[in-house]
Amino acid sequence: MGSSSRAGAGQGAPGWATPNAPPWSVLALLPRAFWPWIKNYYGYATSFLTLPLSAAATNNIAIQNDSFFVMLAATCVCASSNDLTLFAYRPATLQIFDGNSGSNFFSQAIGADEFLGDAAQPGLLAFPYVVSPGGSIQVTLTNLEPTARNYRVTFHGFKAKPNSNEDTGDMARG
C-alpha cells in the first residue's frame, strides 16, 4: 500500500479548527482557548438613516449572549437619503466604543474611510478584536457633507461558541 495524504486531514468538521493552527491562520492570533471552538461567520450591523449635515449620531450594537464575537473587518455603505445613489468617498468621522472594556477604539474620532472599507475592499483589522457575549459596541458617526446621507456600518467576523462546557475555561469567566 502506498502512503496516503488526505487534504484536510486532522481538520475536523467544517467550522472546527485543528488544535495546531498554522502560523498564517487567523486562529494563530486568537487566544488558544478559541482554537477548538465552533466558529461561524457573523456580521453585526447598524444603520444611520438620513444623517443630516454636521450631525452626529450614536448607535449601540448588542452582542448576543450565545457566543463571543471575533471582529475581523468593517464595511460601510454611504448612499443618498433616498438610497438611489451610492458614494465611494464617505466624508464622515467615526468613533467606536467597546462597552465591555470601557474604551474607545481611537484616541479621537477619525475619518470613517480610515477604518471602514466597502464591499469590494473591506477594512481589515490589524488583528482580531474579541467582544464578550452580552457586550456592546457603540458606533458614533458624524456626517461632514453639506447634505443628508444614509450610512450602513457592518462589523464582519465570526461567532465563537465552545464545543462543550469544558471548553469555556477562563474565556467564559472574562
Side-chain angles (χ1 to χ4, degrees):
M1 279 183 125
S3 66
S4 73
S5 68
R6 292 184 304 146
Q11 295 295 319
W16 293 65
T18 175
N20 300 312
W24 48 262
S25 168
V26 71
L27 293 177
L29 299 173
L30 293 175
R32 193 168 182 85
F34 279 116
W35 291 10
W37 290 17
I38 298 170
K39 289 166 278 311
N40 297 304
Y41 168 82
Y42 201 77
Y44 280 101
T46 188
S47 297
F48 298 85
L49 301 180
T50 318
L51 191 58
L53 163 67
S54 299
T58 300
N59 290 351
N60 287 307
I61 301 173
I63 305 303
Q64 296 171 352
N65 288 321
D66 65 344
S67 57
F68 286 82
F69 177 61
V70 182
M71 186 187 312
L72 302 174
T75 57
C76 179
V77 173
C78 175
S80 58
S81 60
N82 62 6
D83 283 331
L84 295 178
T85 306
L86 293 177
F87 300 98
Y89 173 62
R90 298 161 299 219
T93 61
L94 170 74
Q95 181 59 275
I96 302 171
F97 178 79
D98 179 351
N100 281 0
S101 69
S103 62
N104 288 316
F105 273 38
F106 319 112
S107 61
Q108 65 182 31
I110 64 169
D113 284 344
E114 293 180 69
F115 186 78
L116 303 170
D118 58 26
Q121 190 170 0
L124 302 176
L125 277 64
F127 55 90
Y129 189 85
V130 180
V131 184
S132 296
S136 67
I137 302 169
Q138 187 179 77
V139 182
T140 301
L141 201 64
T142 303
N143 180 12
L144 303 177
E145 286 199 89
T147 185
R149 295 284 184 239
N150 289 341
Y151 294 89
R152 291 174 176 83
V153 175
T154 304
F155 299 108
H156 304 270
F158 57 87
K159 291 172 113 181
K161 298 179 186 183
N163 296 327
S164 68
N165 287 338
E166 290 79 36
D167 282 346
T168 58
D170 292 332
M171 296 303 298
R173 290 188 279 281

